[in-house]
Amino acid sequence: MTPTVRTRIAPSPTGAPHVGTAYMALFNLAFARKHGGQMVLRIEDTDRQRSSPQSEQAILDALQWLGIEWDEGPDCGGNHGPYRQSERLEFHQAEVNRLVNQGDAYLCFCTTERLEQVRKEQMANKETPRYDGHCLNLSTEEIEKKKEQGDPYVVRMKVPTEGECVFTDELRGEVRIDWKQIDHQVIQKSDGYPTYHLANVVDDHRMEISHVIRGEEWISSTPKHVLLYQQLGWDAPSFAHLPLLRNPDKSKLSKRKNPTGIFYYRDAGFLPEAMLNYLGMMGYTLPDQREIFSLDELSESFEIKRMSLGGPIFDLAKLKWLNGRYLREKLDSDEVVNRLVDWKANKEKFAQVLELALPRLETFSDFFPLAHHMFEECPIYSTEDLIGKQEAQFVTRLLKIAEWELEKIKDWKRDALAELFQHMAKVEEMKLKDLLRPFFFAISGSAVSLPLFDSVALLGPDLSRVRLRNALHKLSETGASLSKKGLKSLEKEYRSAYGNRID
RNA sequence: GUCCCGUUCGUCUAGUCAGGUCAGGACACCGGGUUUUCAUCCCGGCAACAGGGGUUCGAAUCCCCUACGGGACGCCA
């Protein structure tokens, strides 16, 4: 009798739900289903600064939209809860204490400033930046004294000084990494929350996860996890590291270069099953090479060894082709109508848009021409219109700044957007009207249009971002793009006028 | 910089584990056909084993080196 297969997907609720999360979830699910096991959804919200309940809800909604189902999770419970790491602190802290008592971990009182300094020096000497062991041998008295003084501290894991860590990756075979490469990783932060590495190991163990299927980005830190399992006296699960989805330039898929938000695809009018199918063919082919398959079909025949290891480039063109086939071959016309209505051709959506359009209507015929940009992926307009009477370079600058400023918006609402553009007009010493002109084209494709802030608010961050990027792309074709140098100086200028960028 | 992972048409990939068919399919692109237009659909075309060395009668496949790409090196995950 083989032990139950249990996989997990462990997203961090920071920002918009990412297609990478769905990608990993898909294969975790397929693997669990294939082996008659379960998949757990665990929310990794140990970063108190960046985690938010809204983001958590968005992740659940996004995965559900795609048709990804989990057997245990924060919404549906299960026998291994709670499923939010922030609610499992006692488990984490107990193990941290155990490690400290065992001598496998130690308290570190170094300040962020000191650590930065050390790191800087090491970089300058072309060494691998690592903790220098400053607090490794503090005496019990020193520790007690510092604690009494209320000095903040973290807990670090002790790592062997020689030898190498050998572990098996189910897809790549044996991986060997020198312990010398591994830093004395912080496992508990000064706020008492565990870091990923600790929480991950403790929770995977307690949740009886048998197979850790995750992104390739984790290979280099797997030794830390292997070591923690050893020190805690637990059997490690199997590891399989999947390739990372890539941008067309082969870098790790990022929202700067691609729509990475799951909701983008929903809002742009893709079918969830086509999306899931497409993700399934990234790095994987069914044994019979079928290109159109459902989640069930994938799960039935899934063999993780068939994963290819080169990072696949996310290709919108092929996704669109696939979506078209679903529309024509997988759904009957009645279903297509229903889906279209559910998408945006419904009363709620029309009501939202009509509120903006009504003052501008004489007849119903005016509605759709005025509101087309609310129902398309990206409007069409000429680059001349976009530039208008301004300098192309200057328009590029405005769009770029707006792109950065938009990243700072937490609550994507009309008022926040209005404030943003008003602030921008002030800083740029422009009339709001002049500032907004290119944005009207970028967002709605026309200067005769619905109110901009409301349109952007309704479109949401994903669709809006792509439209700005599309405008920038059009400008770059006129030669008005920023050189690397120009971009750098703009960034500098931006930082002094608007504050730091957020990614 | 150090370490790790990877590399078949522009893109997704089959073939690699058990060496032996013109390296197969799909997207994109190009051409042709059907269609009052367009799209769909059908037919055809273009196009790849990163490079070098080995092992072998024979290498995309096994081994080594190089190159290139990616990732990691946070009190983020």
Side-chain angles (χ1 to χ4, degrees):
Chain A
M1 168 100 192
T2 49
T4 314
V5 166
R6 286 172 61 82
T7 63
R8 45 69 161 181
I9 172 80
S12 180
T14 55
H18 197 278
V19 292
T21 304
Y23 182 62
M24 293 303 158
L26 172 61
F27 290 113
N28 270 280
L29 217 209
F31 185 81
R33 288 250 179 104
K34 161 78 184 187
H35 296 282
Q38 301 102 39
M39 180 173 81
V40 175
L41 172 67
R42 182 176 69 224
I43 297 294
E44 309 229 324
D45 57 350
T46 55
D47 183 340
R48 293 182 315 156
Q49 311 289 342
R50 293 196 296 165
S51 298
S52 76
Q54 294 91 314
S55 173
E56 176 186 320
Q57 189 55 50
I59 289 169
L60 303 192
D61 292 346
L63 293 177
Q64 254 149 18
W65 174 70
L66 280 168
I68 288 171
E69 293 168 338
W70 46 94
D71 301 287
E72 300 169 24
D75 56 328
C76 57
N79 295 327
H80 302 73
Y83 293 93
R84 247 174 236 112
Q85 282 187 329
S86 59
E87 294 166 10
R88 303 173 61 82
L89 286 192
E90 52 187 308
F91 298 140
H92 306 134
Q93 283 170 351
E95 302 305 345
V96 169
N97 292 339
R98 190 150 74 93
L99 289 169
V100 172
N101 293 336
Q102 280 173 197
D104 287 324
Y106 60 97
L107 274 52
C108 168
F109 294 88
C110 292
T111 60
T112 314
E113 293 74 48
R114 197 189 94 80
L115 294 174
E116 259 166 35
Q117 182 61 30
V118 170
R119 204 168 294 143
K120 222 168 156 185
E121 281 167 24
Q122 287 170 329
M123 288 288 229
N125 295 337
K126 301 189 170 180
E127 294 166 29
T128 305
R130 261 196 310 270
Y131 183 62
D132 61 356
H134 185 259
C135 295
L136 186 51
N137 297 310
L138 291 178
S139 66
T140 320
E141 296 80 57
E142 282 172 299
I143 291 172
E144 282 313 312
K145 197 177 148 202
K146 282 175 184 288
K147 270 177 134 175
E148 262 169 46
Q149 285 171 11
D151 288 0
Y153 64 91
V154 300
V155 180
R156 290 180 182 275
M157 59 190 289
K158 264 185 213 172
V159 178
T161 49
E162 40 193 62
E164 57 182 8
C165 175
V166 183
F167 64 91
T168 302
D169 179 287
E170 295 298 322
L171 302 176
R172 297 153 214 268
E174 243 175 39
V175 177
R176 300 167 168 270
I177 296 175
D178 271 349
W179 284 120
K180 283 195 174 61
Q181 292 298 321
I182 309 300
D183 200 4
H184 282 201
Q185 182 66 45
V186 171
I187 55 176
Q188 184 174 291
K189 310 176 215 176
S190 55
D191 62 5
Y193 279 72
T195 59
Y196 170 85
H197 306 281
L198 188 279
N200 194 258
V201 165
V202 172
D203 292 341
D204 280 347
H205 172 73
R206 296 192 70 107
M207 292 181 176
E208 300 181 72
I209 301 304
S210 62
H211 296 260
V212 170
I213 301 167
R214 65 197 342 174
E216 194 177 11
E217 54 195 332
W218 294 109
I219 293 179
S220 354
S221 41
T222 302
K224 293 171 187 171
H225 309 153
V226 170
L227 183 61
L228 285 170
Y229 279 108
Q230 259 172 39
Q231 294 173 334
L232 291 166
W234 299 333
D235 288 334
S238 300
F239 294 101
H241 293 95
L242 269 30
L244 260 21
L245 259 19
R246 311 279 189 101
N247 296 310
D249 68 1
K250 295 188 193 245
S251 58
K252 176 168 144 181
L253 192 69
S254 66
K255 71 176 169 190
R256 292 225 159 276
K257 298 172 182 168
N258 248 309
T260 57
I262 296 172
F263 290 140
Y264 174 83
Y265 298 91
R266 181 193 65 187
D267 297 344
F270 289 84
L271 297 166
E273 53 268 62
M275 183 74 190
L276 209 55
N277 186 158
Y278 180 67
L279 289 175
M281 59 200 269
M282 306 255 69
Y284 190 74
T285 20
L286 298 206
D288 64 3
Q289 288 214 65
R290 228 175 326 165
E291 291 207 280
I292 307 237
F293 51 83
S294 66
L295 174 58
D296 285 343
E297 291 172 290
L298 174 69
S299 302
E300 256 167 56
S301 64
F302 188 63
E303 245 175 281
I304 198 162
K305 296 254 188 205
R306 286 185 64 83
M307 290 292 311
S308 49
L309 300 178
I313 291 168
F314 194 92
D315 179 16
L316 215 46
K318 191 152 186 175
L319 172 57
K320 284 185 178 177
W321 161 79
L322 192 65
N323 201 73
R325 288 199 57 178
Y326 267 80
L327 245 20
R328 264 170 263 118
E329 297 171 21
K330 290 299 203 184
L331 303 180
D332 62 44
S333 54
D334 208 47
E335 276 177 278
V336 176
V337 173
N338 289 335
R339 300 284 197 109
L340 181 63
V341 169
D342 284 345
W343 179 60
K344 285 181 184 174
N346 54 55
K347 201 170 169 182
E348 293 74 27
K349 191 73 192 171
F350 284 175
Q352 287 176 329
V353 179
L354 188 66
E355 194 187 326
L356 310 175
L358 192 54
R360 298 166 173 78
L361 293 190
E362 290 179 324
T363 66
F364 292 145
S365 304
D366 299 332
F367 179 75
F368 287 105
L370 203 53
H372 65 91
H373 66 287
M374 301 308 296
F375 299 92
E376 62 196 347
E377 187 179 4
C378 200
I380 294 164
Y381 53 90
S382 75
T383 312
E384 290 72 42
D385 281 337
L386 178 67
I387 298 169
K389 288 177 190 155
Q390 289 160 324
E391 288 286 320
Q393 282 278 358
F394 184 68
V395 175
T396 300
R397 177 199 152 88
L398 293 178
L399 289 165
K400 204 73 207 169
I401 290 175
E403 199 179 34
W404 291 334
E405 279 292 277
L406 253 11
E407 290 301 317
K408 294 179 180 172
I409 292 198
K410 287 222 173 74
D411 201 14
W412 195 269
K413 295 267 166 61
R414 197 213 102 96
D415 290 349
L417 292 159
E419 202 177 310
L420 183 155
F421 282 103
Q422 276 154 10
H423 175 64
M424 221 178 128
K426 211 166 164 187
V427 175
E428 300 300 318
E429 297 177 345
M430 293 178 75
K431 280 192 195 163
L432 188 62
K433 186 181 172 179
D434 295 331
L435 172 80
L436 258 25
R437 216 201 86 93
F439 291 97
F440 269 100
F441 279 95
I443 296 297
S444 70
S446 166
V448 181
S449 180
L450 304 178
L452 183 70
F453 309 147
D454 297 279
S455 296
V456 174
L458 236 40
L459 283 167
D462 295 311
L463 285 173
S464 304
R465 189 184 294 124
V466 167
R467 291 181 190 196
L468 292 192
R469 196 163 51 221
N470 186 255
L472 282 163
H473 180 72
K474 286 173 86 94
L475 285 167
S476 77
E477 283 175 341
T478 70
S481 63
L482 289 155
S483 63
K484 245 187 173 163
K485 220 171 138 188
L487 188 68
K488 254 196 166 154
S489 77
L490 176 60
E491 259 196 86
K492 206 172 157 190
E493 220 181 297
Y494 172 80
R495 258 200 300 277
S496 66
Y498 294 88
N500 279 332
R501 268 178 59 187
I502 302 176
D503 277 302

